[in-house]
Amino acid sequence: MSTPAAILVLEDGRTFRGDSYGAEGETFGEAVFATGMTGYQETLTDPSYHRQVVVMTTPHVGNTGVNDEDPESSRIWVSGYVVRDPARVPSNWRSRRSLDDALREQGVVGISGIDTRALTRHLRERGAMRVGISTTSDADALLARVRESGQMAGTELADEVSTAEAYVVPAVGEKRFTVAALDLGIKANTPRMMAERGIETHVLPATSSLEDVLAVQPDGLFFSNGPGDPAATTHQIEVLQGALAQGVPYFGICFGNQLFGRALGFGTYKLGYGHRGINQPVMDRTTGKVEVTAHNHGFAVDAPLEGSTSTLYGEASVSHVCLNDDVVEGLELRDDQGRLTAFSVQYHPEAAAGPHDAAYLFDRFCDLMGEKL
């Protein structure tokens, strides 16, 4: 049986023709590219990719199929998927189904057989933009619908990916700390890494109030990664400001870094094409060490790279910087005695597919909570 044809149209009119991959139909989102050569299953199930059409820069995708152990959430979140050469037959002892079948089962529309290198170069030069993939429309009709679709800027999405009900991930072994984790799009490996360090994690819905957070009697507060524009978010920022005012130790990742920046009075802005991959060099300025890190962000914090800034909650400064482009990759807050009270990073120390250079940040969070006790 022949594979149906598919078409991809960017909002500036650039068009690519290929084969259907995954579900047939039509989908829209923001076109972004990811540079990781491994970990496609973790990428697909990362809630931060909600409403995004992910272009894989590595040419061969699906070689190891899909297993039941590696998902970062309960479903595939990408709104569309673009690959050059999909695996004809998956081969791995843990594989339970092909990637094509998994996409089809979950209704994710994709396209294969196109020049993903040309598409990636286009997005690098022109920036991330709206896109449509279709197996049912012609180019002109699809372009019109792409231009009518929603923009990522100005969109609040955390509520759409968050858990509906609070749940607890118990500590492994002896319990040392209790953490309230606001689920803005949390990945499964985050509470898992906390549990390994003796942390009992109470995962709370994104709509939780400061009272809900404090009811857990937490030793620390955590804000997860997640999708959307941080400038469109207000409720979670107010919760974080209330917690900082009460001296609750804080750790944030990705979206949690952006909201931390806004809570401290900094702005945020949309990057041209963002950072998405598992090979980004970042310097931890507190130690001088350089880490290879996993990224997935289209927005960044606008904070001065040098010196500190006085805030209502202490002195804030940039703790991590991307060595490719000097984008802010971490913030820290210190009290008037110079003691660390809160920190965040823009990248993913919990990246299940690796690299694992930044796993120490969970230990830093434990140290921070330990000092508070």
Side-chain angles (χ1 to χ4, degrees), residues 27 59 68-69 78 82 116 119 128 134 138 161 167 193 252 255 285-286 319 325 332 335 347 369 371:
T27 192
D68 295 330
E69 294 79 39
V78 303
V82 184
T116 51
L119 176 53
S134 180
D138 60 42
V161 302
Y167 62 92
M193 291 185 72
F255 199 56
R285 299 166 114 190
T286 65
S319 58
D325 52 15
E332 65 177 22
D335 63 18
Y347 54 94
M369 292 187 288
E371 292 176 4

Side-chain angles (χ1 to χ4, degrees), residues 222-226 250-261 282-286 291 293-297 299-301 317-321 327-332 342-351 358-362 364:
F222 173 81
F223 274 19
S224 77
N225 55 289
Y250 172 76
F251 176 30
I253 287 176
C254 200
F255 199 56
N257 175 70
Q258 297 161 12
L259 298 187
F260 186 39
V282 167
M283 175 178 281
D284 181 345
R285 299 166 114 190
T286 65
E291 312 156 7
T293 61
H295 287 217
N296 172 20
H297 65 110
F299 294 87
V301 175
S317 61
V318 173
S319 58
H320 295 73
V321 176
V327 165
V328 172
E329 293 292 340
L331 299 166
E332 65 177 22
F343 69 99
S344 61
V345 290
Q346 184 60 65
Y347 54 94
H348 292 273
E350 83 292 358
Y360 70 90
L361 290 165
F362 288 94
R364 185 177 290 179

Side-chain angles (χ1 to χ4, degrees), residues 37-120:
M37 295 181 69
T38 61
Y40 59 81
Q41 188 170 333
E42 290 89 344
T43 294
L44 288 165
T45 55
D46 179 351
S48 297
Y49 282 112
H50 182 41
R51 292 205 195 172
Q52 293 185 319
V53 173
V54 176
V55 181
M56 298 298 290
T57 62
T58 189
H60 300 289
V61 180
N63 296 352
T64 56
V66 173
N67 62 53
D68 295 330
E69 294 79 39
D70 291 344
E72 289 288 1
S73 67
S74 61
R75 53 167 282 194
I76 293 174
W77 283 101
V78 303
S79 60
Y81 203 48
V82 184
V83 303
R84 196 185 83 179
D85 296 323
R88 293 189 297 273
V89 179
S91 178
N92 186 270
W93 68 275
R94 294 195 302 156
S95 178
R96 294 293 177 267
R97 63 198 68 85
S98 72
L99 176 54
D100 188 19
D101 287 342
L103 293 169
R104 190 178 299 110
E105 288 167 4
Q106 298 196 35
V108 179
V109 177
I111 186 171
S112 67
I114 71 168
D115 187 345
T116 51
R117 183 181 180 188
L119 176 53
T120 298

